Protein backbone atom coordinates (compact mmCIF):
# COMPACT_ATOMS: atom_id res chain seq x y z
CA UNK A 1 0.00 0.00 0.00
CA UNK A 2 2.71 2.40 1.05
CA UNK A 3 4.73 1.39 -2.00
CA UNK A 4 1.80 2.12 -4.34
CA UNK A 5 1.35 5.55 -2.76
CA UNK A 6 5.01 6.36 -3.25
CA UNK A 7 4.77 5.24 -6.86
CA UNK A 8 1.67 7.37 -7.51
CA UNK A 9 3.27 10.42 -5.91
CA UNK A 10 6.50 10.08 -7.86
CA UNK A 11 4.53 9.52 -11.07
CA UNK A 12 2.65 12.78 -10.47
CA UNK A 13 5.88 14.62 -9.73
CA UNK A 14 7.41 13.22 -12.90
CA UNK A 15 4.38 14.12 -15.05
CA UNK A 16 4.20 17.54 -13.47
CA UNK A 17 7.82 18.08 -14.36
CA UNK A 18 7.23 17.11 -17.97
CA UNK A 19 4.16 19.31 -18.24
CA UNK A 20 5.92 22.32 -16.80
CA UNK A 21 8.57 21.96 -19.49
CA UNK A 22 5.87 22.65 -22.05
CA UNK A 23 4.16 25.43 -20.14
CA UNK A 24 5.22 29.06 -20.26
CA UNK A 25 7.24 30.07 -17.27
CA UNK A 26 6.92 33.86 -17.18
CA UNK A 27 5.14 36.69 -18.87
CA UNK A 28 7.73 39.41 -19.34
CA UNK A 29 7.13 43.06 -20.13
CA UNK A 30 10.16 45.15 -20.95
CA UNK A 31 9.94 48.94 -21.20
CA UNK A 32 12.33 50.00 -23.95
CA UNK A 33 13.49 53.46 -25.04
CA UNK A 34 14.47 54.33 -28.60
CA UNK A 35 11.95 52.27 -30.57
CA UNK A 36 10.48 54.54 -33.22
CA UNK A 37 9.44 52.47 -36.20
CA UNK A 38 8.35 49.10 -37.47
CA UNK A 39 11.93 48.37 -38.36
CA UNK A 40 13.00 48.66 -34.71
CA UNK A 41 10.13 46.37 -33.75
CA UNK A 42 11.07 43.79 -36.38
CA UNK A 43 14.71 43.71 -35.34
CA UNK A 44 13.99 43.27 -31.64
CA UNK A 45 11.39 40.59 -32.37
CA UNK A 46 13.86 38.69 -34.52
CA UNK A 47 16.64 38.90 -31.93
CA UNK A 48 14.32 37.58 -29.21
CA UNK A 49 12.98 34.75 -31.36
CA UNK A 50 16.54 33.74 -32.21
CA UNK A 51 17.19 32.91 -28.53
CA UNK A 52 14.57 30.13 -28.77
CA UNK A 53 13.85 30.81 -25.11
CA UNK A 54 10.71 32.88 -25.71
CA UNK A 55 7.49 32.94 -27.66
CA UNK A 56 4.61 35.29 -28.44
CA UNK A 57 6.90 38.28 -28.84
CA UNK A 58 5.00 41.52 -29.28
CA UNK A 59 6.26 45.08 -29.64
CA UNK A 60 3.94 47.95 -28.75
CA UNK A 61 5.44 51.17 -30.12
CA UNK A 62 2.73 53.26 -28.48
CA UNK A 63 3.39 51.93 -24.97
CA UNK A 64 7.12 51.37 -25.68
CA UNK A 65 6.81 47.81 -24.37
CA UNK A 66 8.32 44.58 -25.65
CA UNK A 67 6.39 41.65 -24.24
CA UNK A 68 6.90 37.89 -24.54
CA UNK A 69 6.50 34.61 -22.68
CA UNK A 70 9.52 32.64 -21.60
CA UNK A 71 9.58 28.90 -22.10
CA UNK A 72 9.89 26.76 -19.00
CA UNK A 73 13.19 24.96 -18.75
CA UNK A 74 14.89 27.70 -20.76
CA UNK A 75 16.14 30.26 -18.29
CA UNK A 76 16.11 33.80 -19.62
CA UNK A 77 16.93 36.10 -16.75
CA UNK A 78 16.67 39.89 -16.60
CA UNK A 79 20.39 40.27 -17.14
CA UNK A 80 20.22 38.30 -20.41
CA UNK A 81 17.18 40.27 -21.58
CA UNK A 82 18.91 43.56 -20.85
CA UNK A 83 22.05 42.44 -22.66
CA UNK A 84 20.15 41.37 -25.76
CA UNK A 85 18.13 44.59 -26.10
CA UNK A 86 21.11 46.82 -25.31
CA UNK A 87 23.23 45.04 -27.91
CA UNK A 88 20.45 45.55 -30.44
CA UNK A 89 20.95 49.28 -29.84
CA UNK A 90 18.09 50.15 -27.49
CA UNK A 91 17.80 51.09 -23.83
CA UNK A 92 15.98 48.97 -21.24
CA UNK A 93 14.07 51.06 -18.70
CA UNK A 94 12.25 48.40 -16.69
CA UNK A 95 11.58 44.65 -16.71
CA UNK A 96 8.37 43.27 -15.23
CA UNK A 97 7.97 39.54 -14.79
CA UNK A 98 4.84 37.68 -13.75
CA UNK A 99 4.79 33.95 -13.07
CA UNK A 100 2.14 32.05 -14.97
CA UNK B 1 -14.02 27.49 -43.00
CA UNK B 2 -12.64 30.62 -41.43
CA UNK B 3 -9.33 28.91 -40.99
CA UNK B 4 -8.81 28.13 -44.66
CA UNK B 5 -9.93 31.61 -45.62
CA UNK B 6 -7.28 33.07 -43.34
CA UNK B 7 -4.65 30.86 -44.91
CA UNK B 8 -5.71 31.97 -48.36
CA UNK B 9 -5.39 35.59 -47.30
CA UNK B 10 -1.80 35.02 -46.24
CA UNK B 11 -1.02 33.65 -49.68
CA UNK B 12 -2.91 36.42 -51.44
CA UNK B 13 -1.15 39.12 -53.46
CA UNK B 14 -1.63 41.50 -50.53
CA UNK B 15 0.30 39.46 -48.00
CA UNK B 16 3.46 41.10 -46.64
CA UNK B 17 5.65 38.54 -48.39
CA UNK B 18 4.08 39.22 -51.76
CA UNK B 19 4.52 42.96 -51.32
CA UNK B 20 8.17 42.47 -50.39
CA UNK B 21 8.71 40.24 -53.43
CA UNK B 22 6.94 42.75 -55.66
CA UNK B 23 9.15 45.59 -54.45
CA UNK B 24 12.16 43.32 -54.85
CA UNK B 25 11.29 42.67 -58.48
CA UNK B 26 10.83 46.34 -59.23
CA UNK B 27 14.38 46.93 -58.02
CA UNK B 28 16.88 44.22 -57.50
CA UNK B 29 17.41 45.62 -54.03
CA UNK B 30 15.85 47.08 -50.86
CA UNK B 31 15.84 49.57 -47.90
CA UNK B 32 15.90 50.71 -44.24
CA UNK B 33 15.81 53.72 -41.95
CA UNK B 34 18.93 53.78 -39.76
CA UNK B 35 22.52 53.96 -40.98
CA UNK B 36 24.04 51.23 -38.82
CA UNK B 37 21.74 48.37 -38.11
CA UNK B 38 21.25 45.15 -36.18
CA UNK B 39 24.10 42.71 -35.87
CA UNK B 40 24.04 40.34 -38.83
CA UNK B 41 21.84 42.66 -40.81
CA UNK B 42 22.32 43.54 -44.45
CA UNK B 43 20.90 46.57 -46.20
CA UNK B 44 20.67 47.24 -49.90
CA UNK B 45 20.14 50.86 -50.89
CA UNK B 46 19.73 52.70 -54.12
CA UNK B 47 19.75 56.44 -54.79
CA UNK B 48 18.79 57.88 -58.13
CA UNK B 49 18.63 61.56 -58.92
CA UNK B 50 18.61 62.85 -62.46
CA UNK B 51 21.57 61.20 -64.19
CA UNK B 52 23.19 60.08 -60.94
CA UNK B 53 22.73 56.52 -59.72
CA UNK B 54 24.15 54.94 -56.61
CA UNK B 55 23.92 51.42 -55.28
CA UNK B 56 25.09 50.54 -51.82
CA UNK B 57 25.24 47.25 -49.94
CA UNK B 58 26.03 47.34 -46.24
CA UNK B 59 26.49 44.48 -43.84
CA UNK B 60 26.64 44.97 -40.07
CA UNK B 61 28.73 42.39 -38.22
CA UNK B 62 28.03 44.27 -34.98
CA UNK B 63 25.32 46.86 -34.20
CA UNK B 64 27.90 49.64 -34.23
CA UNK B 65 29.72 48.81 -37.43
CA UNK B 66 28.66 48.71 -41.06
CA UNK B 67 30.86 47.40 -43.87
CA UNK B 68 29.79 48.06 -47.39
CA UNK B 69 30.38 48.55 -51.06
CA UNK B 70 29.03 51.42 -53.07
CA UNK B 71 28.83 51.98 -56.80
CA UNK B 72 28.27 55.51 -58.09
CA UNK B 73 27.50 56.35 -61.64
CA UNK B 74 27.40 59.84 -63.09
CA UNK B 75 27.27 60.88 -66.75
CA UNK B 76 31.08 61.19 -67.05
CA UNK B 77 32.19 59.17 -64.09
CA UNK B 78 31.99 55.86 -62.32
CA UNK B 79 33.28 55.11 -58.85
CA UNK B 80 33.49 52.06 -56.62
CA UNK B 81 34.11 52.43 -52.91
CA UNK B 82 34.62 50.08 -49.98
CA UNK B 83 33.09 51.75 -46.96
CA UNK B 84 33.25 51.34 -43.19
CA UNK B 85 30.66 53.14 -41.05
CA UNK B 86 30.70 53.42 -37.30
CA UNK B 87 27.85 54.40 -35.04
CA UNK B 88 29.64 56.82 -32.71
CA UNK B 89 26.70 57.67 -30.54
CA UNK B 90 23.15 56.54 -30.07
CA UNK B 91 20.54 58.33 -28.00
CA UNK B 92 17.50 56.33 -26.89
CA UNK B 93 14.60 58.32 -25.47
CA UNK B 94 11.02 57.26 -24.74
CA UNK B 95 9.68 58.48 -28.09
CA UNK B 96 12.81 59.46 -29.90
CA UNK B 97 15.99 58.01 -31.30
CA UNK B 98 19.11 59.82 -32.44
CA UNK B 99 22.36 58.65 -34.07
CA UNK B 100 25.75 60.10 -34.97
CA UNK B 101 27.87 58.17 -37.40
CA UNK B 102 31.11 58.43 -39.30
CA UNK B 103 32.05 56.71 -42.55
CA UNK B 104 35.43 56.24 -44.20
CA UNK B 105 35.71 54.90 -47.71
CA UNK B 106 38.39 54.12 -50.24
CA UNK B 107 38.15 53.00 -53.84
CA UNK B 108 38.64 54.06 -57.42
CA UNK B 109 36.97 56.28 -59.90
CA UNK B 110 36.95 56.25 -63.65
CA UNK B 111 36.34 59.53 -65.37
CA UNK B 112 35.79 60.00 -69.07
CA UNK B 113 37.75 62.72 -70.86
CA UNK B 114 39.20 64.32 -67.77
CA UNK B 115 41.99 66.86 -68.27
CA UNK B 116 44.47 65.13 -65.94
CA UNK B 117 44.53 62.06 -68.18
CA UNK B 118 46.16 63.98 -71.03
CA UNK B 119 49.53 64.28 -69.40
CA UNK B 120 49.72 60.67 -68.28
CA UNK B 121 49.52 58.05 -70.95
CA UNK B 122 49.96 58.38 -74.66
CA UNK B 123 48.17 55.12 -75.40
CA UNK B 124 44.85 56.21 -73.95
CA UNK B 125 43.81 58.84 -76.43
CA UNK B 126 40.17 58.76 -75.34
CA UNK B 127 41.27 60.05 -71.98
CA UNK B 128 39.55 57.58 -69.68
CA UNK B 129 41.44 58.10 -66.46
CA UNK B 130 41.23 55.98 -63.38
CA UNK B 131 42.37 57.35 -60.06
CA UNK B 132 42.16 56.45 -56.40
CA UNK B 133 39.22 57.91 -54.51
CA UNK B 134 38.79 58.48 -50.79
CA UNK B 135 35.75 59.70 -48.95
CA UNK B 136 34.76 60.59 -45.45
CA UNK B 137 31.31 61.50 -44.25
CA UNK B 138 29.68 62.30 -40.97
CA UNK B 139 26.00 62.31 -40.24
CA UNK B 140 23.38 62.83 -37.62
CA UNK B 141 19.78 61.72 -37.60
CA UNK B 142 16.94 61.99 -35.15
CA UNK B 143 13.44 60.61 -35.40
CA UNK B 144 10.31 59.94 -33.49
CA UNK B 145 7.18 58.47 -34.99
CA UNK B 146 6.08 61.73 -36.60
CA UNK B 147 9.21 63.75 -37.29
CA UNK B 148 12.41 62.74 -39.02
CA UNK B 149 15.52 64.85 -39.44
CA UNK B 150 18.89 64.09 -40.97
CA UNK B 151 22.07 66.04 -41.57
CA UNK B 152 25.10 64.76 -43.44
CA UNK B 153 28.33 66.07 -44.91
CA UNK B 154 30.71 64.22 -47.22
CA UNK B 155 34.03 65.03 -48.88
CA UNK B 156 35.67 63.13 -51.71
CA UNK B 157 39.40 63.20 -52.38
CA UNK B 158 40.92 62.16 -55.66
CA UNK B 159 44.30 62.62 -57.42
CA UNK B 160 44.29 66.39 -57.18
CA UNK B 161 42.98 66.64 -53.65
CA UNK B 162 39.45 67.62 -52.76
CA UNK B 163 37.22 66.56 -55.63
CA UNK B 164 33.72 66.88 -54.24
CA UNK B 165 31.81 68.24 -51.27
CA UNK B 166 28.24 67.32 -50.57
CA UNK B 167 25.80 68.16 -47.84
CA UNK B 168 22.36 66.73 -47.09
CA UNK B 169 19.60 68.11 -44.92
CA UNK B 170 16.33 66.27 -44.60
CA UNK B 171 13.19 67.02 -42.69
CA UNK B 172 10.27 64.64 -42.72
CA UNK B 173 6.77 64.48 -41.30
CA UNK B 174 4.41 61.55 -40.97
CA UNK B 175 0.68 62.29 -41.02
CA UNK B 176 -0.07 59.46 -38.56
CA UNK B 177 1.73 57.15 -36.15
CA UNK B 178 1.93 53.79 -37.85
CA UNK B 179 1.79 50.50 -35.99
CA UNK B 180 4.49 47.85 -36.53
CA UNK B 181 2.89 46.14 -39.47
CA UNK B 182 1.27 49.16 -41.04
CA UNK B 183 2.42 51.11 -44.05
CA UNK B 184 4.17 54.27 -42.90
CA UNK B 185 3.89 57.34 -45.10
CA UNK B 186 6.26 60.29 -44.83
CA UNK B 187 6.54 63.63 -46.58
CA UNK B 188 10.21 64.63 -46.77
CA UNK B 189 11.96 67.82 -47.88
CA UNK B 190 15.56 67.31 -48.94
CA UNK B 191 18.20 69.95 -49.55
CA UNK B 192 21.35 68.79 -51.27
CA UNK B 193 24.14 71.34 -51.76
CA UNK B 194 27.03 70.04 -53.84
CA UNK B 195 30.30 71.27 -55.29
CA UNK B 196 32.62 69.36 -57.62
CA UNK B 197 36.23 70.29 -58.39
CA UNK B 198 35.32 71.58 -61.85
CA UNK B 199 32.56 73.81 -60.51
CA UNK B 200 33.13 77.33 -59.26
CA UNK B 201 29.96 77.45 -57.22
CA UNK B 202 27.77 75.21 -55.16
CA UNK B 203 24.71 73.75 -56.82
CA UNK B 204 21.59 73.23 -54.77
CA UNK B 205 18.96 70.59 -55.24
CA UNK B 206 15.77 70.88 -53.25
CA UNK B 207 13.51 67.86 -53.54
CA UNK B 208 10.17 67.08 -51.95
CA UNK B 209 9.82 63.33 -51.55
CA UNK B 210 7.20 60.83 -50.51
CA UNK B 211 8.52 57.96 -48.44
CA UNK B 212 6.66 54.68 -48.14
CA UNK B 213 7.95 52.35 -45.48
CA UNK B 214 6.55 48.89 -45.00
CA UNK B 215 8.19 46.09 -43.02
CA UNK B 216 11.74 45.79 -44.38
CA UNK B 217 11.20 47.88 -47.50
CA UNK B 218 11.52 51.61 -47.93
CA UNK B 219 10.77 53.53 -51.09
CA UNK B 220 11.15 57.26 -51.79
CA UNK B 221 9.93 59.05 -54.87
CA UNK B 222 10.22 62.74 -55.67
CA UNK B 223 11.06 65.40 -58.17
CA UNK B 224 13.43 68.27 -57.45
CA UNK B 225 12.44 71.89 -58.06
CA UNK B 226 14.81 71.86 -61.01
CA UNK B 227 12.96 68.87 -62.44
CA UNK B 228 15.28 66.00 -61.53
CA UNK B 229 13.40 62.83 -60.75
CA UNK B 230 14.54 61.25 -57.50
CA UNK B 231 14.04 57.66 -56.57
CA UNK B 232 15.53 55.94 -53.52
CA UNK B 233 14.97 52.53 -52.07
CA UNK B 234 16.25 50.47 -49.20
CA UNK B 235 15.68 46.83 -48.32
CA UNK B 236 16.88 45.23 -45.19
CA UNK B 237 17.53 41.62 -44.30
CA UNK B 238 18.72 40.15 -41.03
CA UNK B 239 18.99 36.92 -39.12
CU1 LIG C 1 13.35 52.09 -36.31
Amino acid sequence: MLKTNKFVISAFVFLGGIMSLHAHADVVKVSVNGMVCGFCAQGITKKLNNTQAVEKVNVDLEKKIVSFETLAGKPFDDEAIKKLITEAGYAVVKIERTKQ
Amino acid sequence: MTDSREKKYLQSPHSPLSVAIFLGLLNPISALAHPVVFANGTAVMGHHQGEMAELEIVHSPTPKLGLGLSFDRMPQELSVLGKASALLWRGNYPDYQSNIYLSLAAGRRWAAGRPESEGHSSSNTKGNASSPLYQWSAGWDGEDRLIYSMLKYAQNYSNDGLSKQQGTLRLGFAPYKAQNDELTVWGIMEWLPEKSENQMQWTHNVTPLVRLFYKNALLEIGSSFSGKVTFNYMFHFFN
Side-chain angles (χ1 to χ4, degrees), chain A residues 28 41 45 48 55-60 65-69, chain B residues 180:
Chain A
V28 182
T45 304
L48 279 165
E55 61 176 16
K56 297 184 186 166
V57 180
N58 182 59
V59 176
D60 188 330
I65 283 176
V66 178
S67 61
F68 53 85
E69 293 180 12
Chain B
N180 304 356

Side-chain angles (χ1 to χ4, degrees), chain B residues 167-181:
Chain B
T168 312
L169 172 67
R170 290 180 134 211
L171 284 174
F173 300 92
Y176 60 90
K177 285 184 180 176
Q179 296 304 313
N180 304 356
D181 287 354

Side-chain angles (χ1 to χ4, degrees), chain A residues 34 39 42 47 59 64 87 89, chain B residues 63 92-93 97 180 215 236:
Chain A
F39 180 70
Q42 260 187 53
K47 290 284 162 209
V59 176
K64 297 152 228 114
E87 280 178 2
Chain B
N92 287 307
Y93 307 96
Q97 178 192 118
N180 304 356
K215 297 230 162 181
H236 185 249

